[in-house]
Amino acid sequence: MKKLLHFSPLIIILCGYFVLSGCSKKKDSPQFSAGTGSYTFNGTVYATNDTLTGDVFSGGNDVTMWPKGSATAQNLVFVDNIPSQSSGSVNLSDGSSPSSTAPYILGFNGQIHFSSVVNTGSVIKTGANSFSFSCMVSDDSNPSNTYTLSGSGNY
């Protein structure tokens, strides 16, 4: 339940950020880095369009993996605090500390809202703008339900 409470305000804030940044009266709209990738949630593969945005809390960057077949919030993955280095591996946290700069994963798959389980996986940078990850995620409303999640992409 604690993770669910942490997750819901984050989504509300992210949605508010996107709405407010889209309503800006600046001449130039923000340009998001875009790429492609894929992720596998519990055996089902999703091809994605990936976007990189700044993280308003940690000052880092976040990648959103939007499935190409469904551009809705019913299926997507957020890789928060993606490492900035061009190579190397960083262990995932569970995102329970909003001020942490450790990477973590949040997402939706249908009615399942999930987050990475601490010490069960990592983000591997395979280039300046490319990455892969593999971890266990737990259902935020029932943490005893865990699923495998892996993927890769570029932005």
Side-chain angles (χ1 to χ4, degrees), residues 4-20 57 78 108:
L4 182 61
L5 292 175
H6 170 72
F7 186 65
S8 295
L10 179 62
I11 295 301
I12 292 169
I13 291 169
L14 284 173
C15 290
Y17 172 76
F18 287 124
V19 168
L20 291 176
F57 298 107
F78 298 104
F108 298 96

Side-chain angles (χ1 to χ4, degrees), residues 59-131:
N61 289 307
D62 301 334
V63 173
T64 304
M65 301 181 80
W66 305 89
K68 291 181 179 183
S70 171
T72 68
Q74 292 299 311
N75 296 301
L76 57 87
V77 170
F78 298 104
V79 182
D80 290 352
N81 296 324
I82 189 93
S84 59
Q85 69 263 22
S86 296
S87 64
S89 175
V90 180
N91 289 335
L92 289 166
S93 74
D94 61 1
S96 61
S97 174
S99 62
S100 172
T101 58
Y104 59 97
I105 293 178
L106 303 172
F108 298 96
N109 190 276
Q111 297 302 312
I112 301 169
H113 297 189
F114 58 83
S115 57
S116 51
V117 177
V118 69
N119 296 324
T120 66
S122 60
V123 173
I124 301 167
K125 285 299 290 280
T126 55
N129 296 324
S130 58
F131 64 97

Side-chain angles (χ1 to χ4, degrees), residues 18-87:
F18 287 124
V19 168
L20 291 176
S21 66
C23 294
S24 173
K25 292 186 178 183
K26 294 180 184 177
K27 291 181 182 178
D28 297 322
S29 297
Q31 298 297 312
F32 299 115
S33 177
T36 60
S38 67
Y39 68 86
T40 304
F41 179 83
N42 214 38
T44 303
V45 178
Y46 298 89
T48 61
N49 290 314
D50 304 344
T51 56
L52 179 72
T53 56
D55 187 309
V56 295
F57 298 107
S58 71
N61 289 307
D62 301 334
V63 173
T64 304
M65 301 181 80
W66 305 89
K68 291 181 179 183
S70 171
T72 68
Q74 292 299 311
N75 296 301
L76 57 87
V77 170
F78 298 104
V79 182
D80 290 352
N81 296 324
I82 189 93
S84 59
Q85 69 263 22
S86 296
S87 64

